[in-house]
């Protein structure tokens, strides 16, 4: 993993800004339209009230069109930190990416590329390169999100991606831990490729006692910061030591059950923000 080690000329006082994402409140691609998923204005109000500086976009269309997104963010003093885009790499279908880039033209935020899976072989690196090229031609520098349940999940699969493409990397502390990786080691070894960070905690006991990843996810494997098995203090210390500058996005992927109160998700994200503040962020 040392081939992607960061250089020694990084700034000593990096600028790191903290954001959240609609998925932390139960709003993501599979849940939009379900009865107890909060409306976008509720989510943005909660993010602003908890003193986050920005948000990721969530599912395309959830926060509205470009004009509506801008109005809603500006009204709350928030910025857009990125836009998650799932793609079926290997099918050469970049229509979803084009939709995201159309919206992002109005913001200084990166497209966050992610394989849609399932885990049935290796991701098509040529198709990843095409998505990266398409983004760059339109003035964006994308990042790639390794993710449980996809073809870029394990450290070895991330290494293959880094060796076979020049795409920047999003490091997700929770997904990497769940996949058997070491988030601190990832920052040390891949630091010169890291351009976006998701800070997330995960309970490995939930993973071990669940029949599959989807079941563990629904059972609440992703927990509040400091309540799981990720060494977040070491992760954050390494992030600063490596000179990372950019968004630190809190994500606590949440699937709301039919009887779950969505206000609890907002309270959890306020606690996550206070946890980060108490640790210097």
């Amino acid at each position: 993993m040392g081939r992607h080690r960061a250089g020694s000329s990084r700034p000593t006082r990096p600028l790191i800004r903290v954001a959240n994402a609609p998925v932390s409140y139960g709003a993501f691609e599979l849940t939009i339209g379900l009865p107890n998923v909060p409306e976008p204005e509720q989510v943005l109000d909660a993010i602003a009230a908890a003193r986050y500086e920005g948000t990721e976009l969530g599912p395309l269309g959830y926060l509205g069109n470009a004009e509506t997104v801008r109005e809603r963010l500006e009204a709350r003093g928030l910025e857009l930190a990125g836009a998650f885009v799932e793609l079926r790499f290997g099918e050469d279908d970049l229509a979803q990416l084009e939709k995201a880039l159309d919206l992002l033209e109005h913001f200084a935020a990166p497209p966050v590329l992610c394989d849609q899976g399932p885990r049935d072989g290796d991701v098509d690196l040529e198709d990843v390169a095409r998505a990266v090229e398409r983004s760059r031609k339109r003035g964006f520098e994308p990042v790639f999100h390794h993710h449980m349940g996809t073809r870029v999940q394990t450290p070895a699969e991330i290494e293959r991606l880094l060796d076979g493409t020049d795409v920047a990397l999003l490091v997700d502390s929770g997904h990497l831990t769940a996949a058997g990786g070491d988030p601190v080691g990832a920052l040390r070894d891949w630091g010169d490729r890291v351009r976006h960070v998701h800070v997330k905690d995960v309970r490995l006991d939930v993973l071990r006692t669940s029949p599959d990843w989807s079941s563990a996810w629904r059972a609440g494997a992703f927990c509040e910061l400091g309540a799981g098995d990720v060494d977040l203090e070491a992760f954050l210390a390494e992030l600063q030591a490596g000179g990372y500058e950019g968004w630190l996005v809190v994500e606590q992927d949440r699937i709301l059950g039919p009887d779950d109160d969505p206000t609890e998700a907002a309270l959890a994200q306020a606690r996550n923000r206070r946890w980060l503040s108490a640790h210097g962020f």
Side-chain angles (χ1 to χ4, degrees):
M1 295 198 339
R3 287 165 291 180
H4 310 286
R5 173 69 174 156
S8 60
S9 60
R10 293 294 188 98
T12 57
R13 292 183 178 275
L15 175 63
I16 299 176
R17 306 177 69 196
V18 182
N20 206 287
V23 69
S24 301
Y25 302 81
F28 65 104
E29 286 76 5
L30 299 180
T31 64
I32 296 303
L34 295 181
N36 60 343
V37 173
E39 294 296 319
E41 300 245 354
Q42 291 177 267
V43 168
L44 294 176
D45 284 345
I47 291 173
R51 299 185 181 276
Y52 290 96
E53 296 175 80
T55 181
E56 287 195 357
L57 185 66
L60 285 175
Y62 173 67
L63 294 183
N65 60 26
E67 182 178 356
T68 302
V69 173
R70 180 179 295 281
E71 290 174 353
R72 286 173 166 171
L73 296 183
E74 287 182 351
R76 296 165 175 82
L78 297 172
E79 294 187 30
L80 190 64
F84 182 78
V85 187
E86 279 188 316
L87 296 171
R88 291 189 180 278
F89 294 108
E91 297 183 9
D92 199 24
D93 180 9
L94 300 181
Q96 190 76 348
L97 175 60
E98 293 290 357
K99 291 179 183 178
L101 296 179
D102 286 344
L103 189 146
L104 286 174
E105 283 186 348
H106 303 270
F107 303 92
V112 176
L113 309 180
C114 186
D115 178 46
Q116 198 167 7
R119 288 184 56 75
D120 56 357
D122 293 330
V123 73
D124 188 319
L125 296 183
E126 290 185 1
D127 213 21
V128 173
R130 279 191 286 271
V132 172
E133 181 182 11
R134 186 77 59 88
S135 300
R136 288 173 177 165
K137 281 184 175 179
R138 295 191 56 179
F140 300 96
E141 190 59 39
V143 297
F144 197 100
H145 188 348
H146 62 90
H147 202 286
M148 290 291 291
T150 75
R151 292 170 292 182
V152 185
Q153 170 180 297
T154 67
E157 290 162 349
I158 298 170
E159 279 284 347
R160 178 176 178 270
L161 175 82
L162 294 175
D163 287 340
T165 73
D166 65 352
V167 68
L169 183 66
L170 181 158
V171 168
D172 185 304
S173 60
H175 279 284
L176 191 57
T177 299
D182 172 15
V184 175
L187 293 177
R188 291 173 180 163
D189 292 336
W190 304 330
D192 59 347
R193 296 286 288 273
V194 176
R195 295 293 179 272
H196 206 65
V197 174
H198 284 177
V199 59
K200 183 184 277 128
D201 211 342
V202 63
R203 290 181 53 190
L204 296 179
D205 63 322
V206 177
L207 287 176
R208 286 191 292 267
T209 57
S210 298
D212 51 40
W213 162 243
S214 179
S215 300
W217 183 27
R218 293 176 182 276
F222 291 127
C223 55
E224 292 183 32
L225 300 181
D229 294 293
V230 181
D231 188 349
L232 290 175
E233 293 187 6
F235 180 74
L236 295 172
E238 183 62 34
L239 200 65
Q240 289 185 310
Y244 172 76
E245 291 189 339
W247 286 105
L248 181 66
V249 182
V250 176
E251 280 197 342
Q252 187 184 342
D253 299 11
R254 184 182 293 260
I255 300 178
L256 295 171
D259 299 321
D260 289 346
D261 183 353
T263 60
E264 171 53 31
L267 294 173
Q269 298 322 303
R271 290 191 291 267
N272 282 336
R273 186 67 191 91
R274 291 195 295 271
W275 189 94
L276 278 175
S277 180
H279 289 79
F281 289 85

